Amino acid sequence: MSVFASLVGQLADLLQPLFGLSAAAAAIVLFTALVRLLVHPLSRAAARGQKARARLQPRIAELRRRYGRDPEKLQRALLDLHTREKVSPLAGILPSLFQLPAFFLLFSLFSNTTIGGRPNELLGHELFTAPLGGRWADALGDGGPLGGAGLVYAGLFAVVVAVAAFSYRLTKRSMAANAALTGAGAGAGSSSGRGGGTGKGAAEPVAVPGMGAVAKVMPFLSFFTLVTVAVVPLAAALYVVTSMAWGVVERAALHR
């Protein structure tokens, strides 16, 4: 961890002339941008995978109608479909997984008072008047929500709400597009059944257990970032907010 602390400290020294006491906070933003640039190829691959999965939705819906009463056959059929089309269902989570080490490093770095047996000098840095090692509870106890540190957190919360609202719109739009594709596939299957006279023996669509609840909750997931920002050290919260904003803009650009 001392190597990582040295990296953040060196970035802060470089940014000191521009940002003063908030140089370490600016270094964390820059570090976050570097991490996001490193995982950008994975984000592009995830976007391509999501578009490919969207194209597969009518065929997936057909498989669910055909094998909905037999979960084992359905699972095998879905796996075969994804294998043939070279689409990985896990591709979408890889960018987030690769960022976890950076987040936990920052969390640990700004949660410890010593590093390698020496005082953690990074804890003396601030974002405006809020210590980077402090939490929202500390800000409320030192000046309240309208104190200097409290206003810093109010600004972060406002950014999270704005970015989450934009993410909500993107998610709803994506889910609506997927639903339209699935509906189109279902309509085609139903009409062929009626037209060809084979609809009598066709299996009815079977709902996936829990998918309705997931569909309702998914657009709101970004708002839970407010909880993370409130409970982790400010340095880690700054990483989360910066990464979240980058991710939403990147997602909008990649899914145009």
Side-chain angles (χ1 to χ4, degrees):
M1 195 191 310
S2 58
V3 175
F4 182 64
S6 177
L7 173 62
V8 175
Q10 289 175 6
L11 286 175
D13 291 340
L14 288 174
L15 298 173
Q16 179 75 30
L18 292 175
F19 297 96
L21 292 177
S22 297
I28 291 170
V29 173
L30 178 59
F31 171 75
T32 308
L34 292 174
V35 172
R36 293 297 315 213
L37 281 173
L38 287 174
V39 301
H40 179 69
L42 293 177
S43 299
R44 293 181 66 88
R48 289 194 298 268
Q50 184 172 346
K51 291 177 181 178
R53 288 193 297 274
R55 291 194 298 268
L56 293 178
Q57 286 306 308
R59 295 164 68 180
I60 291 175
E62 177 61 29
L63 290 175
R64 294 194 189 282
R65 283 192 298 274
R66 186 180 304 172
Y67 302 116
R69 306 296 180 184
D70 191 334
E72 186 175 343
K73 286 186 177 180
L74 175 60
Q75 188 65 30
R76 286 201 303 267
L78 290 175
L79 182 60
D80 290 342
L81 175 62
H82 284 93
T83 301
R84 286 197 310 271
E85 299 297 329
K86 298 180 180 179
V87 175
S88 172
L90 301 178
I93 66 173
L94 289 180
S96 298
L97 288 179
F98 274 79
Q99 290 183 76
L100 285 178
F103 169 77
F104 284 118
L105 275 173
L106 274 174
F107 181 90
S108 179
L109 181 60
F110 284 89
S111 297
N112 292 304
T113 56
T114 60
I115 299 175
R118 302 176 62 182
N120 186 355
E121 297 179 356
L122 290 173
L123 294 180
H125 290 268
E126 300 176 337
L127 174 59
F128 301 114
T129 58
L132 291 179
R135 291 170 167 80
W136 186 44
D138 301 324
L140 294 179
D142 183 19
L146 297 180
L151 290 176
V152 170
Y153 271 96
L156 282 180
F157 290 148
V159 171
V160 170
V161 170
V163 174
F166 186 45
S167 177
Y168 172 88
R169 292 179 58 189
L170 290 178
T171 303
K172 292 288 285 187
R173 187 185 309 165
S174 175
M175 292 175 65
N178 288 342
L181 283 172
T182 305
S190 298
S191 61
S192 64
R194 287 192 298 269
T198 59
K200 184 177 179 180
E204 292 295 325
V206 177
V208 180
M211 283 303 293
V214 171
K216 291 178 181 179
V217 173
M218 189 177 295
F220 297 96
L221 289 180
S222 295
F223 290 96
F224 288 99
T225 306
L226 288 167
V227 178
T228 303
V229 171
V231 301
V232 301
L234 179 57
L238 192 57
Y239 176 91
V240 169
V241 174
T242 305
S243 182
M244 177 187 183
W246 180 295
V248 170
V249 174
E250 182 180 65
R251 180 177 159 202
L254 292 175
H255 290 272
R256 285 182 302 178

